[in-house]
Structure formats: structure tokens, C-alpha cells
């Protein structure tokens, strides 16, 4: 069967999963609608209780379930409806698990009625799952035609842990082909669009999660990050995201093609508040995943961690790979002012030498095996790579000696980065996750500001920080006149500073795009990273 036919049939199966009564009226399906964030609540499909449930914080949802104010089944139904609407707007889902999820929710309700006990800290909470993570009994496509129909026998370990905590998977979400680019598009399910402006990218490779959570179609999205794949979708869709240290949260059962074992990808989370990021991490670790995954560090969640009252924060404006665009610079400067006004010490970092070194190392790791894995996956069906897929085909495979040399360079960079951090006695670094806001589809520039923290294996939290301003964010002549930085060689999948200047023709190109901070902590200090991120979040949103 031709790959086109196989993919078309799979899309038809997906469309048929949405009940007729949840189909959007034709006027609300118009491509002329750009900002679709309020469509769900205007559609007539959701009743007032659906809206109340899906707009509630997860702490409130879980509390009301425990108080018998809402049943697990009713909560699940509300999110199933809203996810179906979200998918029709931004193409964010690959599989609806609604019947199974509703039955599991009813089982939870029966258990609670019989025992008076909840199944765990996430009792009855619906969760969405990126379609490179196994959910038992369902497909894991990773956006590849060759994986259509391949059914997972077991849950990915993180999903097993979350089920043990009481969570219920109810949808799988759209992603980049083979999880290997920053745009969430593939030949099976197509392109995910940004709910804030459907002409803009939802990011990748976890764009389905970012868009679904932004539309309140999921309370918690489980996803992966090998170079920004949690952080860019979170930032560009205006929600919160968290990338932990690589082996703190289990990755067993993740089926992305990946670049190589040299790159430290991880399992992360996207949600609408930091409290949910903490719930995800603490609940997952509460299931002791290290007992089933030798790569997972046996390190329980430590809720007693505290931050000092006066924080010492490093602020990174420039990595000398690309100049930050005006809206991204503005948000960092506003954050600097607010934090200083709240009594914290904020130091501007001149660490561009470390970032240039780091980008060269991580981009070499992304292509070191010459694209053998992704080529095999594509050749199995005959499908072509989507534009800008990081195949590695344009580079020759590195020799073992070259790989080891690059590993030694990574080790030295980690030592140098840590030494500077400790010299300044920092609590966290604040920077941007990307040099620009959510770009037009296919026009992202580089992942350098995100990927370096995979290389260093530092935990990172994304905190929303407003939107592009059509007046404030007009670029000055001086910004355009700045000499472009040299492009990183031997990595043709990212663009450089010159292309960034050409892309930023004005803030109107990025209209409605969310802006965000990337808050970085030291390895294995996820608790402190999230605690500091919450404190910063409270300060910048205090008005």
C-alpha cells in the first residue's frame, strides 16, 4: 500500500472518532479565523459545567473530586469534549482514547464510592500523551507512516507511574515527524497550528501538547525534550513547561527516533500552572520508577526544599549565536526590573563564549550518526522527510574517535559552566527559550538557547510572560544594523542571525504570539528550579 493511502486512511479513522454532536459548526471551522482561543466556549458544544471544569486549576479539580462535588467521569467527559473541539481547530490529536478513559474514570468513581479512598494523588485527572510515548493497547506512531498500526504492549514507565497515581490517559497528541524538528508536522496527521494565531508555529516536537493545553483541552500533557521540544511549544503557546534532568523522570517506553545516545533527551510536562508541573514530578517519583528503569536515578521528590529569600539570579541577554528580537529583549528587561524591585539581585551574564562552544557540541551530537535511524524509519514506508527534518544526511557519520572527542568537549563545558555558576553563587539563570516569538510556519531560526541545557543536563522551567506588542516591539534601526553573528557550521537545519534579521520584519509578523522566560537550575535540583520559577512567576504577574 502506498504511504499516501495509508496516511489518508489513518486521518479518516481519527476524524471518525469525534462524535457528531461534538462537531464544530461550519462557520467556526473557517480558515479565516486566526485567534481561536475562545472558540470552544462559543461553540455551543460545551455546557457551563464543562467550561467550569476545564477552566479550573488541577488542584481545584482534584479537590472537588475528593469532596464528591465532581465525579471522575464528569471531569473526563468535559476534557474529552474540549479536546475534540481543540483538535478541530489546531490539529493537535493523533488518537482519542475516550471510551477506555471514560470507563477507567467510572472505575475510579466506583473505587472511591466503595472505599472512601482515592487511587492516588492524581485520582481521576485526565492526561494527554505525546505520540512517541507508549500507552498500552494503542498506537505509538512518532509521526511516521511506518509505525501506523504498531500497538504498544505496555505503558511507557512514566505513564505507568502516573496511572499508579490515579491519572487517566485520554488522548495522544500530534508531534514532529520522528520527533526531529521544531515544527510539529508529519505526513500522517499533518501540521499543528498555534491557537493564538493559526498562521504561527505551535513549536515542536511536542506542539500538539502545547496547543491542546493552551486551549484547555488537557490539564496535563506528558511529552519529551531533546533540544527544546517541551520548552518551545510551551513558550510559543503561552503555557508552562518543565524539562527535568535527563534521568530524573523515566524515559523507558519513549519511541522517538532520536539522534543518538549522546544527546540527553528527557521526559517532561506541559500544563497551565507551575503547581501541576510539581504534581507531575512528585507523583511520578512517588511511584519509585528507578525500581523498573536502571537509567532512572533513585531520588525521591523532596518537598522540604526551600529557596533563600533574596535570590541571586543571572540574566542572559546574548549567546552570540543570534541577537534576541525586540519582544524577547523587552520581556527580559521588564523581568529584570521587576525582580530588582522585589529585592532580588540580578546580574547580567556575559557567557556567550560558553554558549557558542555548547552549540557546536550539541549540534554535532544531533548529526553524528549520519541520520541512519531516521532514514531506516522513512525507507520502511517510502514517505519523504518533511521540510527541515534534522536527518543528518548532509553530514558524514563521525568516527568513534571524533565522537569521543566531542564527549570530552561536553565534559569540559559542563565543568566550565558550573564553575562560573558557583563563582557567582547563583540560584538560577533567566533567559529566553528562543530568540524570537512563535514564528510563521517553517521559519523558526535556531534551538541553540534551549538545546544547550540538554547538553548541560540542567532542569528548565518555562513561564509565560505576556504577548508581542505591536507598538512596543517595533525594531529600531540600530537593531537591524547590528553585525550578524557567524552561523554555526555543519548544522543546516537551523538558520542564523542574518536570517533572523530578515524574518523580523516587524511585530505584526508575530501578532498574538505569547512570550516566555526560560528559568534554569542546576542538575538534580528540580525542586529548587520549580520553586524559584513559581516565585518569579508570582512577581512578574503580580500586577
Amino acid at each position: 500500500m502506498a504511504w499516501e493511502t495509508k496516511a489518508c486512511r489513518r486521518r479518516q479513522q481519527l476524524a471518525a472518532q469525534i462524535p457528531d454532536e461534538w462537531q464544530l459548526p461550519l462557520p467556526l471551522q473557517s480558515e479565516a479565523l486566526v485567534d481561536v482561543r475562545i472558540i470552544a466556549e462559543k461553540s455551543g458544544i460545551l455546557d457551563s459545567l464543562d467550561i467550569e471544569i476545564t477552566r479550573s486549576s488541577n488542584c481545584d479539580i482534584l479537590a472537588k473530586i475528593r469532596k464528591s462535588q465532581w465525579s471522575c467521569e464528569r471531569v473526563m467527559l468535559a476534557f474529552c469534549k474540549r479536546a475534540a473541539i481543540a483538535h478541530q481547530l489546531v490539529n493537535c490529536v493523533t488518537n482519542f482514547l475516550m471510551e477506555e478513559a471514560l470507563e477507567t474514570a467510572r472505575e475510579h468513581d466506583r473505587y472511591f464510592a466503595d472505599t472512601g479512598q482515592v487511587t492516588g494523588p492524581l485520582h481521576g485527572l485526565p492526561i494527554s500523551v505525546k505520540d512517541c510515548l507508549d500507552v498500552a493497547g494503542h498506537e505509538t506512531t512518532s509521526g511516521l507512516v511506518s509505525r501506523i498500526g504498531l500497538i504498544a504492549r505496555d505503558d511507557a514507565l512514566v505513564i505507568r507511574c502516573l496511572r499508579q497515581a490515579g491519572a487517566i490517559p485520554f488522548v495522544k497528541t500530534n508531534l514532529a515527524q520522528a520527533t526531529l524538528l521544531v515544527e510539529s508536522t508529519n505526513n500522517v496527521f499533518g501540521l499543528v497550528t498555534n491557537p493564538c494565531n493559526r498562521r504561527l508555529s505551535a513549536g515542536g516536537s511536542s506542539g500538539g501538547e502545547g496547543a491542546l493545553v493552551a486551549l484547555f483541552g488537557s490539564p496535563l500533557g506528558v511529552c519529551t525534550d531533546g533540544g527544546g521540544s517541551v520548552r518551545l511549544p510551551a513558550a510559543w503557546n503561552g503555557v508552562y513547561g518543565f524539562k527535568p534532568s535527563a534521568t530524573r523522570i523515566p524515559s523507558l517506553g519513549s519511541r522517538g527516533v532520536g539522534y543518538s545516545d549522546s544527546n540527553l533527551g528527557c521526559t517532561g510536562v506541559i500544563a497551565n500552572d507551575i503547581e501541576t508541573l510539581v504534581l507531575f514530578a512528585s507523583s511520578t517519583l512517588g511511584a519509585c520508577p528507578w525500581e523498573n528503569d536502571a537509567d532512572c536515578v533513585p531520588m525521591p521528590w523532596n518537598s522540604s526544599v526551600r529557596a533563600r529569600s533574596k535570590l541571586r539570579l543571572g540574566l542572559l541577554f546574548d549567546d552570540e549565536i543570534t541577537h534576541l528580537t525586540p519582544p524577547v529583549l523587552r520581556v527580559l528587561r521588564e523581568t529584570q526590573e521587576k525582580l530588582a524591585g522585589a529585592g532580588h539581585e540580578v546580574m547580567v551574564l556575559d557567557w556567550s563564549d560558553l554558549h557558542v562552544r555548547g552549540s557546536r557540541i550539541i549540534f554535532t551530537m544531533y548529526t553524528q550518526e549520519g541520520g541512519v535511524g531516521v532514514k531506516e524509519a522513512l525507507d520502511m514506508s517510502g514517505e519523504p522527510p518533511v521540510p527541515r527534518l534534522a536527518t543528518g544526511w548532509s553530514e558524514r557519520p563521525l568516527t568513534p574517535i571524533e565522537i569521543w572527542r566531542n564527549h570530552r568537549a561536553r565534559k569540559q563545558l559542563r565543568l566550565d559552566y558550573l564553575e562560573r555558576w558557583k563563582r557567582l553563587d547563583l540560584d538560577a539563570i533567566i533567559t529566553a527559550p528562543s530568540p524570537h516569538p512563535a514564528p510563521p510556519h517553517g521559519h523558526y531560526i535556531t534551538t541553540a538557547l534551549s538545546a544547550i541545557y540538554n547538553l548541560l543536563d540542567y532542569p528548565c522551567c518555562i513561564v509565560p510572560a505576556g504577548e508581542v506588542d505591536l507598538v512596543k516591539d517595533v525594531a529600531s534601526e540600530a537593531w537591524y544594523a547590528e553585525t550578524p553573528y557567524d552561523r554555526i557550521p555543519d548544522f543546516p537545519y537551523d538558520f542564523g542571525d542574518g536570517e533572523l534579521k530578515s524574518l523580523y520584519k516587524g511585530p505584526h509578523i508575530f501578532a498574538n504570539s505569547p512570550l516566555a522566560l526560560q528559568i534554569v537550575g542546576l542538575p538534580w535540583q528540580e525542586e529548587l528550579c520549580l520553586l524559584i520559577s513559581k516565585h518569579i512567576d508570582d512577581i512578574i504577574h503580580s500586577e
Side-chain angles (χ1 to χ4, degrees):
M1 183 188 301
W3 73 263
E4 296 94 338
T5 303
K6 196 171 184 180
C8 181
R9 289 183 179 179
R10 185 63 188 83
R11 289 192 296 274
Q12 290 170 347
Q13 292 169 359
L14 175 62
Q17 289 184 305
I18 300 176
D20 290 343
E21 60 270 25
W22 297 354
Q23 296 284 342
L24 279 173
L26 286 176
L28 297 183
Q29 297 183 36
S30 171
E31 293 185 2
L33 295 171
V34 176
D35 182 347
V36 296
R37 286 175 285 187
I38 62 171
I39 296 297
E41 293 171 17
K42 288 187 171 183
S43 66
I45 297 169
L46 303 178
D47 62 30
S48 59
L49 184 54
D50 293 324
I51 295 171
E52 182 183 358
I53 290 171
T54 54
R55 282 282 190 169
S56 294
S57 72
N58 290 331
C59 290
D60 285 346
I61 291 171
L62 293 168
K64 289 189 175 183
I65 289 174
R66 290 190 186 98
K67 294 175 183 176
S68 299
Q69 293 175 302
W70 293 338
S71 68
C72 297
E73 181 181 10
R74 187 64 186 86
V75 169
M76 181 60 71
L77 179 63
F79 278 104
C80 285
K81 291 166 73 174
R82 192 143 189 164
I85 296 169
H87 176 66
Q88 293 173 76
L89 294 171
V90 295
N91 194 39
C92 53
V93 173
T94 64
N95 197 3
F96 290 95
L97 320 180
M98 291 184 285
E99 291 183 10
E100 177 185 304
L102 287 165
E103 178 52 38
T104 304
R106 288 189 283 269
E107 291 173 1
H108 280 41
D109 288 332
R110 289 192 289 269
Y111 179 85
F112 185 66
D114 291 344
T115 67
Q117 302 293 318
V118 294
T119 57
L122 302 181
H123 178 84
L125 188 72
I127 60 171
S128 49
V129 182
K130 182 179 178 180
D131 196 13
C132 64
L133 291 161
D134 285 347
V135 174
H138 299 282
E139 243 177 14
T140 306
T141 70
S142 296
L144 291 163
V145 175
S146 60
R147 296 189 182 181
I148 294 173
L150 295 182
I151 307 301
R153 184 179 64 183
D154 302 306
D155 285 331
L157 182 53
V158 66
I159 304 304
R160 194 194 320 172
C161 292
L162 292 170
R163 282 195 200 266
Q164 186 174 322
I168 307 172
F170 77 111
V171 293
K172 299 198 76 177
T173 55
N174 205 357
L175 70 173
Q177 185 184 48
T179 72
L180 293 182
L181 70 154
V182 179
E183 186 81 71
S184 288
T185 186
N186 59 75
N187 293 319
V188 184
F189 302 104
L191 175 69
V192 182
T193 58
N194 191 313
C196 307
N197 180 342
R198 292 197 291 184
R199 299 187 182 109
L200 301 180
S201 174
S205 60
S206 311
E209 286 296 346
L212 180 63
V213 171
L215 287 171
F216 298 95
S218 171
L220 187 160
V222 188
C223 38
T224 61
D225 189 311
S229 290
V230 165
R231 289 161 287 161
L232 295 176
W236 292 351
N237 289 281
V239 293
Y240 295 80
F242 185 55
K243 180 206 87 68
S245 305
T247 54
R248 187 84 194 268
I249 301 293
S251 294
L252 190 65
S254 176
R255 306 295 175 187
V257 173
Y259 309 95
S260 69
D261 288 342
S262 297
N263 178 49
L264 296 171
C266 65
T267 304
V269 60
I270 289 175
N272 274 307
D273 54 49
I274 291 179
E275 290 82 358
T276 300
L277 309 183
V278 174
L279 268 174
F280 163 80
S282 61
S283 298
T284 300
L285 296 180
C288 302
W290 48 85
E291 295 179 356
N292 296 286
D293 183 355
D295 289 333
C296 192
V297 175
M299 189 176 178
W301 189 257
N302 185 358
S303 58
S304 67
V305 169
R306 295 291 180 268
R308 53 186 168 187
S309 57
K310 182 180 179 180
L311 297 173
R312 287 176 60 86
L313 302 166
L315 194 61
L316 185 72
F317 282 110
D318 192 355
D319 63 359
E320 290 196 9
I321 296 166
T322 52
H323 290 90
L324 301 184
T325 54
V328 176
L329 279 170
R330 172 177 59 81
V331 162
L332 288 176
R333 288 169 178 152
E334 290 172 352
T335 299
Q336 179 183 23
E337 183 178 343
K338 289 179 180 179
L339 290 172
H344 299 294
E345 189 173 358
V346 184
M347 294 159 276
V348 176
L349 304 178
D350 182 13
W351 290 10
S352 57
D353 59 319
L354 299 178
H355 280 254
V356 171
R357 280 169 55 194
S359 295
R360 292 174 184 272
I361 295 166
I362 188 64
F363 290 157
T364 298
M365 287 178 174
Y366 286 160
T367 57
Q368 68 185 22
E369 44 88 50
V372 172
V374 68
K375 187 176 189 304
E376 289 174 351
L378 296 176
D379 286 349
M380 286 175 67
S381 67
E383 69 168 309
V386 299
R388 297 190 70 179
L389 184 74
T391 60
W393 297 348
S394 59
E395 292 73 50
R396 64 171 177 82
L398 299 187
T399 66
I401 290 175
E402 289 171 324
I403 292 172
W404 298 335
R405 184 183 299 127
N406 202 42
H407 282 201
R408 288 194 294 272
R410 174 178 62 185
K411 183 175 182 178
Q412 187 60 52
L413 180 76
R414 287 178 175 171
L415 291 171
D416 293 345
Y417 212 94
L418 180 62
E419 190 275 331
R420 287 201 199 175
W421 185 298
K422 291 296 186 181
R423 189 194 311 160
L424 294 176
D425 190 26
L426 296 178
D427 293 297
I429 287 175
I430 303 171
T431 188
S434 166
H436 53 71
H441 293 290
H443 291 280
Y444 68 88
I445 297 298
T446 180
T447 61
L449 276 168
S450 294
I452 189 169
Y453 294 115
N454 293 90
L455 182 76
L456 296 168
D457 202 21
Y458 284 20
C460 304
C461 183
I462 295 299
V463 172
E467 292 187 354
V468 168
D469 189 297
L470 298 182
V471 176
K472 294 179 181 178
D473 296 331
V474 174
S476 66
E477 291 184 8
W479 184 82
Y480 285 111
E482 289 171 327
T483 302
Y485 294 129
D486 293 337
R487 188 166 174 171
I488 298 295
D490 303 323
F491 194 72
Y493 314 104
D494 279 13
F495 296 148
D497 205 24
E499 289 93 341
L500 177 68
K501 301 283 186 176
S502 297
L503 174 66
Y504 198 85
K505 295 179 172 65
H508 63 284
I509 301 295
F510 306 87
N512 293 352
S513 173
L515 301 167
L517 306 174
Q518 179 176 212
I519 299 165
V520 183
L522 287 174
W524 317 118
Q525 295 187 20
E526 282 74 15
E527 295 90 340
L528 186 59
C529 180
L530 287 173
L531 194 64
I532 292 171
S533 298
K534 173 60 177 168
H535 191 53
I536 293 170
D537 186 37
D538 289 343
I539 290 172
I540 66 172
H541 293 116
S542 60
E543 295 177 359

